[in-house]
Amino acid sequence: MSNEKQVDSGRRGLLVATCAAGGVAGLATAGALVSTFQPSERAKAAGAPVEVDIAGLAPGEMKTVEWRGKPVWILKRSPEMVESLKKTGDQVADPKSERNPNELTPEYARNEYRSRKPEILVAVGICSHLGCSPTTKLQPGAQPSLPDDWQGGFLCPCHGSTFDLAGRVFKNKPAPDNLEIPPHMYLSDTKLIIGKDEKGEA
C-alpha cells in the first residue's frame, strides 16, 4: 500500500472515530436535557393538584382534565339532569355511596348528587370493573345498548356497565362500584381544584 493511501485510510479512521465520539456526546447531552423535564412529569403523575376554570361551562356540558394520569370529568348538570337523579336512585346498586367510601367518595360527596354542588359533578372517568373509560351518553331516551327509560349518564363499552349522571353504577352490571370522586374543593364560584380539599387530602 502506498504512503498516500495509508494517510487517506488513517484520516478516514480518525474521521469515523471523531463522528462516533461526537454522536455519543450528543446523545448524552440530549439525555441530560430530557431528564430535566422528568421531575415535573413525576410530580404530575404523583398527583399534584390541578386548578380548573369552569366559568365557560354551560348546563349540559362536560370538560375533561388530567389528574394522576387519569381523566377527570367535570359535568355541569342542567336542572333536568339534577332532577333525573331522583328517578335513578332505586335503580342503582349503591345509591348512598356506602361501598368503599374512603377510597371512592369523600364525605362531602356522599349524597344523591355525589358532589359538593348539585349542578357540578366531578368524577374520575374510569370504570370500576376493568379500568376502561366509559363514554358519555348524556342525552336521555332510548339508544343502542341502553334501556328505553334512559335518563342520561355513562356507558362503559367494554362490558356494558352503565352509570347515572352522578356516576352511580346501575344494578346487575359488571362494575362493582360507583365512579370515583376525587378530592376537590372550590376556590371560587368558577374555579375548583382537583386533588386537594380543605383537609389537605389528596
Side-chain angles (χ1 to χ4, degrees):
M1 184 182 285
S2 72
N3 238 8
E4 195 177 319
K5 284 187 180 175
Q6 283 180 342
V7 169
D8 280 350
S9 176
R11 282 182 184 159
R12 208 172 353 217
L14 182 61
L15 186 61
V16 169
T18 305
C19 288
V24 170
L27 284 173
T29 305
L33 282 172
V34 169
S35 71
T36 62
F37 295 109
Q38 287 176 351
S40 62
E41 290 302 317
R42 276 200 298 268
K44 278 170 66 178
V50 178
E51 194 173 309
V52 187
D53 187 346
I54 58 170
L57 209 56
E61 285 185 350
M62 189 177 89
K63 75 187 305 180
T64 304
V65 297
E66 186 180 334
W67 173 68
R68 288 188 174 177
K70 305 173 187 175
V72 175
W73 298 333
I74 302 158
L75 171 65
K76 186 167 185 179
R77 294 179 283 216
S78 66
E80 294 77 20
M81 288 174 155
V82 172
E83 191 64 24
S84 77
L85 299 177
K86 294 177 182 174
K87 299 174 185 174
T88 56
D90 62 347
Q91 300 172 22
V92 295
D94 183 18
K96 296 180 181 177
S97 301
E98 294 171 331
R99 294 183 189 169
N100 303 317
N102 295 330
E103 291 124 36
L104 297 173
T105 315
E107 192 173 349
Y108 43 79
R110 290 175 207 161
N111 51 53
E112 97 180 311
Y113 312 110
R114 297 191 80 228
S115 61
R116 288 181 173 269
K117 297 182 179 184
E119 71 275 18
I120 302 289
L121 172 69
V122 179
V124 175
I126 295 178
C127 181
S128 57
H129 181 216
L130 292 176
C132 303
S133 188
T135 57
T136 54
K137 297 290 183 180
L138 305 181
Q139 190 66 35
Q143 298 165 57
S145 304
L146 294 170
D148 291 346
D149 63 347
W150 181 247
Q151 298 295 319
F154 310 95
L155 167 68
C156 185
C158 300
H159 297 93
S161 294
T162 47
F163 303 84
D164 71 359
L165 289 165
R168 301 178 297 184
V169 67
F170 281 87
K171 293 175 182 176
N172 304 314
K173 297 294 179 180
D177 293 303
N178 296 335
L179 297 179
E180 177 188 354
I181 304 297
H184 65 282
M185 64 182 183
Y186 287 86
L187 302 175
S188 70
D189 286 341
T190 59
K191 281 193 178 175
L192 60 88
I193 190 160
I194 297 164
K196 183 180 177 182
D197 55 23
E198 292 85 350
K199 296 178 182 177
E201 292 180 358

